[in-house]
Amino acid sequence: MKKPVVIIGMGEMGDLFARGFLKCGHPVHPILRGSRPESVAQAIPEPDLVLVAVGETELHPVLASMPSAWRTRLGLLQNELLPCDWQRHGITDPTVIVVWFDKKKGRPFVPVLPTPVAGPRAGLVVQSLEAIEVPCHTIPDEELLYELVRKNLYILTINIAGLRTGGTVSELWDRHRELAEKTADEILDIQEWLTQTRLPRGRLMAGMLEGFAGDPNHICTGRTAPARLRRALDHAKAAGIATPTLTAIAEGLAAATPAS
């Protein structure tokens, strides 16, 4: 019998991955809200993978309370993820999935680009995604930072610029290119501060445009876009980075919001 997989968070992503693992013959044990991971860890101390499928705002509390037996078996898939997010919890070598497909409730997944996977259990994850026909591939560890920042650049640019423009990613680039480029440039300033790394900005911009081309009709904004903007501005303030474009978008959003 194959080793079990534990999934923390059974939303749309957790459910999709669970189907993949089950198709590959792995028993799946979900950790739901209110469950005690420590109790499950006592019963399942050596799962093949512990996939943390919670949203980005829940990631740090989950990692802070992660049972010690599971800390070397983690898989992470959140947006806005960077190495500093797991390193601050003393986690050194997780399996990381840079999700490039969209999954909404009651709808099939929509792939934008093939999903890169890095880390010690990348093969297991790729096998499970292939079982449910999600385009994916393994990448070497040295490519992970680029892939994480590329996805961050894509999601933050379309969400934040889209707060002003609305519409799709193709409309953002075709009709509001200057705004998109200025937004992306400020986001890269913030990403360089967060990673403490000089990033390949030209390559990252080209990579973002690959995402635009992968699903031209992708809607720019969603319910999390204002929170992404607030987090970006908080990072910029902490770093002392000037963000005139992001600030102007935030001011416009505040002016358009009726006072309660």
Side-chain angles (χ1 to χ4, degrees):
M1 175 173 263
K2 292 186 178 181
K3 283 188 174 183
V5 171
V6 173
I7 299 182
I8 302 176
M10 286 301 293
E12 292 299 310
M13 284 293 167
D15 179 70
L16 184 72
F17 276 88
R19 289 196 287 114
F21 293 125
L22 288 169
K23 278 200 167 190
C24 292
H26 292 271
V28 172
H29 294 265
I31 305 291
L32 307 175
R33 290 184 188 277
S35 300
R36 290 178 54 82
E38 298 84 359
S39 300
V40 182
Q42 289 175 1
I44 310 173
E46 297 183 350
D48 226 358
L49 178 73
V50 178
L51 182 65
V52 181
V54 301
E56 51 259 41
T57 59
E58 301 173 70
L59 176 64
H60 289 293
V62 168
L63 293 184
S65 61
M66 187 63 58
S68 58
W70 288 354
R71 293 173 65 84
T72 60
R73 302 170 184 273
L74 293 180
L76 306 176
L77 51 71
Q78 288 68 29
N79 283 318
E80 298 184 58
L81 186 66
L82 289 171
C84 57
D85 290 307
W86 62 79
Q87 290 168 354
R88 66 188 272 191
H89 298 283
I91 295 162
T92 57
D93 193 20
T95 297
V96 181
I97 306 142
V98 186
V99 173
W100 274 102
F101 54 88
D102 192 37
K103 181 67 178 76
K104 296 291 191 292
K105 188 174 183 179
R107 301 178 186 175
F109 73 89
V110 178
V112 178
L113 293 174
T115 287
V117 188
R121 288 164 175 79
L124 167 64
V125 173
V126 166
Q127 183 185 39
S128 71
L129 289 176
E130 288 178 341
I132 52 174
E133 301 183 339
V134 174
C136 59
H137 58 103
T138 60
I139 57 170
D141 290 348
E142 55 268 26
E143 280 293 299
L144 178 58
L145 181 60
Y146 164 79
E147 293 291 356
L148 286 170
V149 175
R150 174 167 77 142
K151 179 62 187 298
N152 292 350
L153 179 63
Y154 169 87
I155 197 73
L156 289 167
T157 297
I158 66 172
N159 274 195
I160 293 173
L163 287 169
R164 175 174 289 180
T165 66
T168 65
V169 297
S170 62
E171 290 168 342
L172 173 64
W173 191 247
D174 292 341
R175 302 177 187 177
H176 309 282
R177 184 169 303 186
E178 183 179 3
L179 173 66
E181 289 178 333
K182 288 181 176 179
T183 302
D185 198 49
E186 292 177 11
I187 289 165
L188 284 174
D189 289 340
I190 296 168
Q191 294 286 299
E192 286 193 330
W193 177 73
L194 287 169
T195 61
Q196 294 296 291
T197 303
R198 191 69 170 261
L199 296 170
R201 297 170 81 106
R203 184 186 176 202
L204 285 162
M205 286 294 292
M208 181 183 74
L209 294 181
E210 289 175 5
F212 285 14
D215 184 13
N217 295 319
H218 192 93
I219 300 299
C220 284
T221 58
R223 58 185 174 81
T224 58
R228 293 194 199 284
L229 173 57
R230 287 194 297 272
R231 282 195 292 272
L233 288 171
D234 287 345
H235 289 317
K237 183 178 179 180
I241 296 170
T243 54
T245 303
L246 303 191
T247 301
I249 292 171
E251 291 172 348
L253 192 65
T257 303
S260 58

